[in-house]
Amino acid sequence: MLFNSQGLGIIFGVIVGTITTAFLSLLPEISQTALIIGFTLSFSSSYILLRIVAEFLFFREINSIHEALRGIQQNDLSVLDSSNRSFINPLKKINREIADYAEIKQSEIEELKRMEIFRREFIADISHELKTPIFAAQGFVHTLLDGAAEDKKVRGKFLKKAAKSLDGLDLLVQDLLTISQIEIGEIKMHYESFDLVNLCAEVYDQLDGKAEKKEITLTFDHGKLEQIFVNADFQRIYQVMINLVSNGIKYTRKGGTVSVKLEEDDAKVRVTVSDNGRGIPAEDISRIFERFYRVEKSRSKEKGGTGLGLSIVKHIIEGHDSKIEVSSQVGVGSDFWFMLDKGKPAPQIKWDDEDDYIDE
């Protein structure tokens, strides 16, 4: 038995032709030639009609469904035809739904694979980052326990080094907690209107000593405006600016320049942090916001830090419904910028002669 359109067409044609011939034979004086012609015509028309209907409405789509299922089993989605859309043939709808479902599941599988790779890399990175300060502190303490504690100079020196290693470990843990809390939504952005010019000035006051040690010049361009108000989380934006300016100082050559520029339009304020340091290679730009990713692996420990600063910056800026952008050229320098919503100035308070105040 042929389970295809041709076999069904032959069977259906024979049945229709036989029935037609049987009815024609009941007519009086019907000739043998007329019966043959009637059978031939009814058989041919029935065969052609059924074969076309069966082929285009059923068997072709069933074969497509089989190909789609085979492709899914072999993890090959190229055989899926996502262009077929029909409101007449239900099999085409089924084929389309299978293709959509397969694409969704394939994207989920790819995402799971990507997350698995990220998880392995993250575990390896954090193990390495934790191992360094722990082993350092452990080595200093064991040296003291082995007898070095009797010498006051050695004891003080080793205790300071152990304390420094533990401080670095504490900073690493705090940064990890910050990122995790932002990602799961435990840390909410507390929006308020504040003066961004004043915030940047505070950041420069905080990092001025660090810049002086490397003979780096800090410049601040906010146009002719004495105040620029934004609507954001003061503490988090302060943390962002500390990280960006500190990074600029860290990776800029001695005698270089790190600058902050504020520009505003009708609704947004653009914040740009620039340096004329060594720059970032093009192949690394897409990964610098990943946790623990460092462009200079060999010198990362010399530069200090946890490797989480830019990742924290990215999460905080995204928490403000914005995006951190970067442009860099090796040997020329780097620019980091993001946008914040403009805020309203705080109401002015004036005191009258009777020690009452008036909000303006």
Side-chain angles (χ1 to χ4, degrees):
M1 184 177 291
L2 298 174
F3 291 100
N4 53 34
S5 59
Q6 182 178 359
L8 288 178
I10 293 174
I11 294 173
F12 185 72
V14 169
I15 293 174
V16 173
T18 301
I19 293 174
T20 302
T21 303
F23 274 105
L24 289 176
S25 64
L26 296 177
L27 297 176
E29 299 180 357
I30 188 74
S31 67
Q32 189 72 21
T33 303
L35 291 176
I36 294 174
I37 293 173
F39 177 85
T40 302
L41 290 176
S42 60
F43 171 83
S44 300
S45 59
S46 300
Y47 171 79
I48 293 172
L49 177 63
L50 183 63
R51 182 169 184 182
I52 291 174
V53 171
E55 180 68 25
F56 287 95
L57 291 184
F58 296 100
F59 285 100
R60 178 171 294 184
E61 294 306 320
I62 290 174
N63 289 334
S64 297
I65 292 173
H66 280 297
E67 289 295 325
L69 294 175
R70 188 179 298 110
I72 294 172
Q73 291 175 347
Q74 298 175 355
N75 199 26
D76 178 15
L77 301 186
S78 62
V79 299
L80 299 180
D81 184 5
S82 60
S83 63
N84 288 333
R85 293 185 178 274
S86 174
F87 296 97
I88 299 175
N89 189 348
L91 291 179
K92 283 192 174 183
K93 294 181 181 179
I94 294 173
N95 197 13
R96 171 66 258 179
E97 290 174 0
I98 291 175
D100 290 341
Y101 180 78
E103 289 174 358
I104 292 172
K105 290 303 177 184
Q106 183 64 25
S107 64
E108 291 177 354
I109 291 171
E110 294 298 327
E111 179 65 15
L112 288 173
K113 289 180 179 179
R114 189 185 69 81
M115 292 302 296
E116 175 63 19
I117 294 173
F118 174 78
R119 184 188 66 82
R120 289 199 301 266
E121 291 180 349
F122 176 72
I123 291 175
D125 288 337
I126 196 172
S127 298
H128 176 74
E129 296 293 335
L130 289 172
K131 178 180 66 177
T132 302
I134 290 175
F135 280 10
Q138 188 180 41
F140 294 134
V141 171
H142 280 297
T143 301
L144 292 173
L145 292 175
D146 289 340
E150 301 298 330
D151 189 328
K152 289 184 179 181
K153 291 183 179 180
V154 173
R155 180 174 62 199
K157 180 181 178 181
F158 276 35
L159 286 175
K160 286 180 180 179
K161 289 184 176 181
K164 185 177 180 180
S165 296
L166 293 175
D167 287 342
L169 179 61
D170 178 66
L171 181 61
L172 172 61
V173 173
Q174 292 300 324
D175 284 349
L176 282 171
L177 286 174
T178 298
I179 292 177
S180 299
Q181 289 171 343
I182 293 175
E183 286 180 339
I184 64 179
E186 287 186 5
I187 294 181
K188 303 294 184 181
M189 300 301 162
H190 300 288
Y191 287 89
E192 59 180 314
S193 185
F194 60 87
D195 180 16
L196 191 57
V197 174
N198 181 62
L199 180 146
C200 292
E202 291 185 18
V203 170
Y204 271 19
D205 286 341
Q206 178 75 16
L207 299 175
D208 187 57
K210 184 177 180 180
E212 285 183 357
K213 289 181 179 179
K214 290 189 65 176
E215 300 179 11
I216 290 176
T217 303
L218 299 179
T219 65
F220 186 22
D221 178 8
H222 50 93
K224 298 181 180 180
L225 299 172
E226 294 184 0
Q227 294 180 314
I228 299 177
F229 287 89
V230 295
N231 186 39
D233 187 316
F234 181 91
Q235 294 298 331
R236 296 301 170 188
I237 297 302
Y238 182 84
Q239 188 176 7
V240 166
M241 295 305 297
I242 285 286
N243 278 329
L244 292 178
V245 175
S246 179
N247 263 10
I249 296 172
K250 185 187 302 181
Y251 294 106
T252 297
R253 304 179 187 91
K254 183 178 180 180
T257 301
V258 175
S259 64
V260 172
K261 185 176 183 180
L262 305 181
E263 303 170 283
E264 65 172 0
D265 55 25
D266 293 336
K268 299 284 186 178
V269 175
R270 173 176 167 138
V271 184
T272 305
V273 179
S274 306
D275 65 69
N276 57 358
R278 58 178 53 88
I280 305 169
E283 62 271 17
D284 292 311
I285 289 180
S286 62
R287 300 195 61 189
I288 59 173
F289 295 104
E290 295 179 10
R291 301 175 186 182
F292 302 115
Y293 188 81
R294 291 184 173 95
V295 176
E296 294 179 317
K297 305 294 188 301
S298 61
R299 303 185 62 184
S300 61
K301 295 304 176 185
E302 297 177 22
K303 297 296 182 183
T306 63
L308 296 170
L310 288 180
S311 182
I312 292 175
V313 166
K314 174 178 177 289
H315 282 80
I316 291 176
I317 296 303
E318 289 179 349
H320 284 79
D321 295 324
S322 185
K323 186 178 181 181
I324 182 75
E325 304 280 359
V326 59
S327 174
S328 186
Q329 185 176 349
V330 175
V332 177
S334 304
D335 296 325
F336 291 83
W337 70 90
F338 57 92
M339 308 291 286
L340 293 175
D341 293 329
K342 291 184 69 173
K344 296 181 179 179
Q348 299 290 327
I349 298 177
K350 289 186 177 180
W351 296 87
D352 61 16
D353 295 337
E354 298 179 358
D355 292 337
D356 291 331
Y357 66 87
I358 302 172
D359 288 343
E360 288 189 345

